[in-house]
Amino acid sequence: MNEQDFLAAYDPHAYPAVAVTVDVVALTIRDGALHLLLIRRGEQPHAGLWALPGGFVRPDEDLVTAARRELAEETGLAGEPLRRVHVEQLASYGAPDRDPRMRIVSIAHLAFAPDLPDATAGTDADEAAWVAVAELTNRQLAFDHGQIVADGLERARSKLEYTPLATRFLAPEFTIGELRAVYETVWGHQLHAGNFHRKVLSVPGFVESTGASTERGGTRGGPRARLYRAGDARLHPALLRPALLRPAREETVR
């Protein structure tokens, strides 16, 4: 039998039905705190519970296109602002009983961007909100989204150690102090300003000077801070060498 005859006789209904969805762990920094985008489900199952933005992959979509569409529906982003959001695949979740409707496999994605707009609920949600990660313990999440969020946060925290991901949370030009604030916010640890500054500038390709400075000094006065931009490491899937380890991991390495 050739391939054409095989496909003509092939019956997909002879196999158990399986659907594919995407869920998005979208992170941003608002008011100095790490926030996660959540929606309150307006339909069953789990109506009324908070969940990650997500939905079924359409027949004409690849996975990342579906993830970006779901993110756009809850943030109102479109065009170039949406394309600037960093989106990467996180993991697959396919426990047989993770969704009561049918066998559904979710491909979770992680999204990062600075200054994402206020959330706007899509057609299948009653509400959408940016929720401080520190407050997540007070919310019951639908499906297995609690595990997906935990996995996403750990991925984000670990990637700050060995990739230039932190620059994705900042404007095109930033100070080392602003970069340090991203690390402190995502890691949940205060960092020594001088040591951090020295480590960042010692990593080839991490940041590069713009040659400019801020218009004024800090809140306590003092000299104006130098401005930097993301270096070549952002343009290539490169690892930071040496890595910037979390304080707890740095003690373990020592």
Side-chain angles (χ1 to χ4, degrees), residues 44-119:
Q44 296 292 355
H46 302 306
L49 290 185
W50 289 92
L52 294 169
F56 290 94
V57 178
R58 295 172 179 172
D60 61 342
E61 290 180 321
D62 59 23
L63 296 174
V64 71
T65 299
R68 287 186 178 276
R69 172 178 54 79
E70 290 292 343
L71 181 61
E73 289 177 0
E74 311 300 344
T75 62
L77 287 176
E80 185 59 28
L82 180 61
R83 285 190 290 272
R84 286 200 299 266
V85 176
H86 175 80
V87 178
E88 65 178 64
Q89 195 171 122
L90 172 62
S92 302
Y93 299 84
D97 59 350
R98 65 176 301 274
D99 193 303
R101 290 170 289 188
M102 62 181 296
R103 183 71 186 271
I104 296 178
V105 176
S106 178
I107 313 300
H109 289 70
L110 201 53
F112 311 92
D115 303 324
L116 287 174
D118 291 339

Side-chain angles (χ1 to χ4, degrees), residues 143-162:
F143 307 108
D144 53 0
H145 289 187
Q147 183 61 56
I148 298 176
V149 170
D151 293 345
L153 289 172
E154 178 54 30
R155 168 76 70 85
R157 288 163 179 155
S158 65
K159 289 201 73 170
L160 258 62
E161 295 183 313
Y162 60 87

Side-chain angles (χ1 to χ4, degrees), residues 117-159:
D118 291 339
T120 54
T123 56
D124 59 348
D126 283 342
E127 185 180 356
W130 288 102
V131 179
V133 168
E135 299 175 3
L136 289 178
T137 54
N138 301 324
R139 294 177 186 257
Q140 179 185 357
L141 300 185
F143 307 108
D144 53 0
H145 289 187
Q147 183 61 56
I148 298 176
V149 170
D151 293 345
L153 289 172
E154 178 54 30
R155 168 76 70 85
R157 288 163 179 155
S158 65
K159 289 201 73 170

Side-chain angles (χ1 to χ4, degrees), residues 171-183:
E173 296 186 356
F174 51 85
T175 67
I176 298 296
E178 291 169 338
L179 181 63
R180 187 180 76 252
V182 172
Y183 277 86

Side-chain angles (χ1 to χ4, degrees), residues 161-217:
E161 295 183 313
Y162 60 87
T163 76
L165 178 66
T167 60
R168 295 284 188 170
F169 286 95
L170 295 167
E173 296 186 356
F174 51 85
T175 67
I176 298 296
E178 291 169 338
L179 181 63
R180 187 180 76 252
V182 172
Y183 277 86
E184 291 178 336
T185 301
V186 177
W187 283 352
H189 292 282
Q190 291 289 110
L191 302 174
H192 186 279
N195 287 345
F196 180 83
H197 192 283
R198 174 181 53 80
K199 290 178 181 178
V200 166
L201 296 187
S202 70
V203 179
F206 189 7
V207 299
E208 60 184 29
S209 175
T210 66
S213 301
T214 55
E215 293 183 358
R216 56 178 62 88

Side-chain angles (χ1 to χ4, degrees), residues 226-238:
R226 293 181 180 179
L227 289 171
Y228 294 82
R229 64 172 68 93
D232 292 342
R234 181 175 180 177
L235 304 177
H236 310 285

